[in-house]
Amino acid sequence: MVSEARSMIAMIIAVLMFCAGPGASAQDRAAGESSAVQKQIVTVRMSDGVEIALALYLPRGSGAVPALLAASPYRIDNDEAPSVPIFPFRETGPIAWYVEHGYAYVRMDVRGTGRSSGEYRYQDNREQRDLYEIVEWIASQGWSNGRVGGVGQSYYARSQWFMAIQLPPHLACIAPYDGNIDTYNASAFQGGIPGAYPHFWFNYVRGLNLYPFAGKPRDLPWDYTYEIGKHPLFDEFWRERTAAGKLGAVRIPVFSIGVWGKVDLHLNGNITGYQQVAGPKKLLVLGGSGVDAASAEYSSTAFHERYLLPFYDWCLKGVTTSYVSEPEVRYTVTGSNRILTAASWPPPNAEYKTFYLSAQPSRSVTSLNDGTLATEPPKIDGGQTSFHYPNPGWTLAAGVASRAPDGSLDTARRVLTFTTAPFADDVTIAGPILLRAHITSTRDDADFFVKLYEQSAQSDELVQKGTQPKARFLTKGWLRASHRAIDPKMSRPNAPWYAHQSPQPLTPNQAYFLDIAIMPTAATVRRGNRLRLEIANSDSLQIESIFSHSYFPDQVGSYTILHDSEHASQLLIPFVPEDGR
């Protein structure tokens, strides 16, 4: 068992090195290194008798101070490891730096992990209750001023959402950075389609507990991967482990910070979490190219000094800071590096424009069909576009992508594409996007993987040679057709939320209508460039990496997208004025 686990850890680290790239230099010292910080390990008995281990980082001689609580299964014994991208579990932010700024920093091993007793059950009700009890324990300590805030990225951010819905009296604020509110929709079954990430993640967590930076090995016998397979629908297992739909009772200040580059996991949780809480709230969405960039940014003291310290000082110390005067919504526009502001999300000044999927060729890209996104509705006989799968050119590693002549990965050549005409001026998109598709399938289901790109201009000569234009990924969406039923309580305009409770199989070759949610984005498309929609029934291990989806034997057949006047498949895209008004 141990040798198998070591092999798994070696594989995981290799994948992480591939994902992380060069990263950024560590900006936080090892926790507790400063002479101004005193560290101690304590255990706190919960109401059911389980003992929870905490690492307390306290300022020396400062009297009663506010506290930041960070909870995860990543082990307090691993906090001595450096904050570098190859260690993605170091999502605490700069611990010693916060202590030097007058905060107690409390790190918690959630039950069943690290030094805590009990059994791990992935953020079940008991783990959530522990958060309540730890918040109240912190507030009762002599070194505490009675005000507690949540801190941390990813799992730590999810713990903050759960802290908030428990409504502990002494929780004063949360600032979830890069943390979803619903694991089923965010990664386990995106659009109802099984995802690879939770299995990768759980094997990694097991490794963190078996091979910690310090301390004794700890086994996690409960099998999260097995439980995921037992619960392919949004049943009680998942309802217990989601904060979505429960945040309306949260009335403490919330500063939700999302990352456009984490569209595969956390992005939509930060946005919908912000929308659902009822108290004073603000939303900040930053750029970032994925896992490594988001982690490196959160490890930077400059990031915390600019964004989070003003929030915590206002909420936990009662200081009037720059946070108070910031707009309710700020979001980075990728492709232009601007930060725009709004009174709410989606931006109230966004106007949706409809593009119709058409069989007419764009003559701008080589793909299976080279269709267009037209601005005029289709005529009576607008045609249709069929997609046969699996494509003979797909491979296990590259998935639906293929190799271009220069050796680069080509996302478009072996999938369906629909492309706009070149834009006459720069245009900016901001908000959720919706594909309204009329389809038929040769089998009782159909999977849709939808991506949106900004496609650069290139010469007709290169197009005729089959050279692909450069393209910049913007966002994506997923839907299994049998999971098309929408939850009206959770859905918002142009942002459907799926129920995932009672799959509705398709009758082969019968027409169906699907609303396919494409995750929100904000991006500037440059003059002369185009928008390109890509549609397939899978993705690519080499492109999506740990966020990819496996291909199974039931994915053999074809589906057809209809685009005649009676079945006008269309893409709804929100544009904001370039002058910001």
Side-chain angles (χ1 to χ4, degrees):
M1 176 180 173
V2 173
S3 62
E4 292 175 357
R6 288 187 184 278
S7 298
M8 178 62 72
I9 299 307
M11 181 195 74
I12 290 169
I13 290 176
V15 173
L16 284 170
M17 291 179 69
F18 172 80
C19 295
S25 59
Q27 303 217 19
D28 187 26
R29 293 164 298 176
E33 178 183 316
S34 170
S35 60
V37 180
Q38 55 178 328
K39 175 184 177 181
Q40 55 183 291
I41 304 296
V42 302
T43 57
V44 181
R45 186 176 295 274
M46 298 291 96
S47 56
D48 66 348
V50 166
E51 292 190 338
I52 297 298
L54 306 175
L56 306 181
Y57 301 92
L58 307 176
R60 293 186 184 275
S62 298
V65 295
L68 300 175
L69 174 59
S72 83
Y74 301 154
R75 299 199 64 157
I76 56 179
D77 290 322
N78 288 325
D79 288 346
E80 304 300 328
S83 297
V84 293
I86 198 62
F87 291 141
F89 62 86
R90 286 288 281 113
E91 297 167 327
T92 61
I95 295 174
W97 182 86
Y98 270 112
V99 178
E100 291 167 359
H101 282 77
Y103 289 87
Y105 197 112
V106 181
R107 266 284 285 117
M108 170 181 169
D109 278 343
V110 299
R111 65 171 51 211
T113 68
R115 300 188 183 209
S116 294
S117 63
E119 293 190 35
Y120 182 62
R121 291 290 187 272
Y122 186 73
Q123 298 191 308
D124 65 352
N125 286 337
R126 186 58 246 193
E127 183 179 327
Q128 295 174 42
R129 178 65 189 182
D130 292 344
L131 296 170
Y132 177 104
E133 294 182 19
I134 292 297
V135 167
E136 294 308 297
W137 178 87
I138 291 171
S140 70
Q141 301 307 296
W143 44 261
S144 170
N145 73 351
R147 300 183 66 79
V148 181
V151 68
Q153 177 184 3
S154 192
Y155 197 106
Y156 299 91
R158 284 180 51 76
S159 292
Q160 292 182 65
W161 294 118
F162 286 126
M163 284 180 211
I165 66 174
Q166 295 295 308
L167 306 179
H170 291 91
L171 182 66
C173 64
I174 61 169
Y177 171 83
D178 187 34
N180 74 74
I181 60 173
D182 180 353
T183 297
Y184 181 97
N185 284 286
S187 64
F189 293 94
Q190 291 163 317
I193 304 168
Y197 177 74
H199 312 288
F200 163 86
W201 173 84
F202 187 59
N203 281 328
Y204 186 59
V205 172
R206 277 181 158 164
L208 289 175
N209 279 268
L210 280 171
Y211 311 111
F213 190 87
K216 298 178 180 180
R218 174 68 181 270
D219 189 23
L220 274 61
W222 182 74
D223 194 337
Y224 179 47
T225 290
Y226 176 69
E227 293 297 325
I228 290 173
K230 287 171 55 181
H231 299 280
L233 301 179
F234 191 75
D235 57 12
E236 188 55 39
F237 176 86
W238 292 110
R239 278 190 289 273
E240 178 179 342
R241 292 165 171 82
T242 183
K246 305 172 186 176
L247 290 162
V250 174
R251 301 188 181 279
I252 58 172
V254 175
F255 187 18
S256 180
I257 307 178
V259 181
W260 294 127
K262 295 296 283 293
V263 65
D264 292 283
L265 183 59
H266 291 311
L267 168 66
N268 202 42
N270 279 106
I271 291 174
T272 56
Y274 154 80
Q275 291 173 320
Q276 290 182 13
V277 295
K281 58 185 179 180
K282 292 186 180 181
L283 174 68
L284 172 66
V285 189
L286 300 171
S289 57
V291 175
D292 55 327
S295 296
E297 189 157 49
Y298 199 71
S299 295
S300 162
T301 56
F303 174 86
H304 290 263
E305 188 165 30
R306 179 178 181 183
Y307 295 117
L308 285 173
L309 188 63
F311 173 70
Y312 290 131
D313 280 353
W314 171 64
C315 291
L316 301 176
K317 293 183 178 181
V319 178
T320 300
T321 67
S322 58
Y323 177 84
V324 178
S325 59
E326 292 287 1
E328 180 161 325
V329 173
R330 290 170 285 169
Y331 59 96
T332 298
V333 180
T334 64
S336 66
N337 294 320
R338 293 176 296 162
I339 293 183
L340 299 185
T341 64
S344 59
W345 182 270
N349 62 342
E351 295 184 1
Y352 277 84
K353 183 174 182 179
T354 301
F355 294 86
Y356 298 91
L357 279 64
S358 168
Q360 292 296 316
S362 75
R363 296 186 175 85
S364 67
V365 63
T366 301
S367 69
L368 296 180
N369 68 313
D370 184 29
T372 59
L373 290 171
T375 55
E376 297 296 327
K379 296 181 180 179
I380 294 177
D381 184 14
Q384 58 187 34
T385 301
S386 294
F387 179 73
H388 308 287
Y389 50 87
N391 185 278
W394 293 351
T395 63
L396 177 62
V400 304
S402 59
R403 289 290 172 186
D406 63 0
S408 63
L409 278 174
D410 182 348
T411 68
R413 193 173 300 270
R414 295 184 182 274
V415 303
L416 301 182
T417 64
F418 297 89
T419 311
T420 67
F423 287 96
D425 298 291
D426 290 356
V427 294
T428 295
I429 301 165
I433 298 167
L434 181 62
L435 174 60
R436 316 201 78 185
H438 295 266
I439 65 104
T440 67
S441 175
T442 60
R443 60 186 186 91
D444 65 356
D445 218 331
D447 290 348
F448 288 83
F449 289 70
V450 181
K451 295 183 179 181
L452 190 66
Y453 287 82
E454 177 188 9
Q455 178 177 297
S456 298
Q458 70 172 3
S459 68
D460 291 339
E461 180 182 359
L462 289 176
V463 172
Q464 292 169 5
K465 289 181 178 179
T467 302
Q468 298 288 50
K470 292 181 179 179
R472 179 172 69 95
F473 170 77
L474 300 180
T475 186
K476 64 175 70 171
W478 316 258
L479 181 62
R480 176 161 286 179
S482 61
H483 285 240
R484 62 192 179 277
I486 290 172
D487 181 344
K489 293 182 179 179
M490 294 289 291
S491 297
R492 292 176 178 267
N494 300 307
W497 191 283
Y498 306 103
H500 299 300
Q501 292 179 358
S502 300
Q504 302 170 340
L506 307 180
T507 299
N509 302 313
Q510 179 175 314
Y512 291 88
F513 172 73
L514 308 177
D515 265 346
I516 303 176
I518 301 177
M519 294 297 100
T521 194
T524 292
V525 179
R526 294 300 184 185
R527 180 179 63 184
N529 290 354
R530 307 169 185 246
L531 284 172
R532 183 175 81 214
L533 182 72
E534 293 184 358
I535 302 177
N537 82 324
S538 190
D539 52 18
S540 167
L541 177 62
Q542 292 191 6
I543 296 174
E544 273 73 32
S545 184
I546 56 178
F547 301 116
S548 62
H549 300 73
S550 297
Y551 209 80
F552 294 108
D554 65 341
Q555 291 172 284
V556 177
S558 64
Y559 58 70
T560 298
I561 298 174
L562 309 175
H563 33 71
D564 54 59
S565 58
E566 186 178 352
H567 306 93
S569 296
Q570 51 200 271
L571 182 67
L572 278 61
I573 301 179
F575 293 87
V576 296
E578 278 300 299
D579 60 8
R581 291 179 297 183

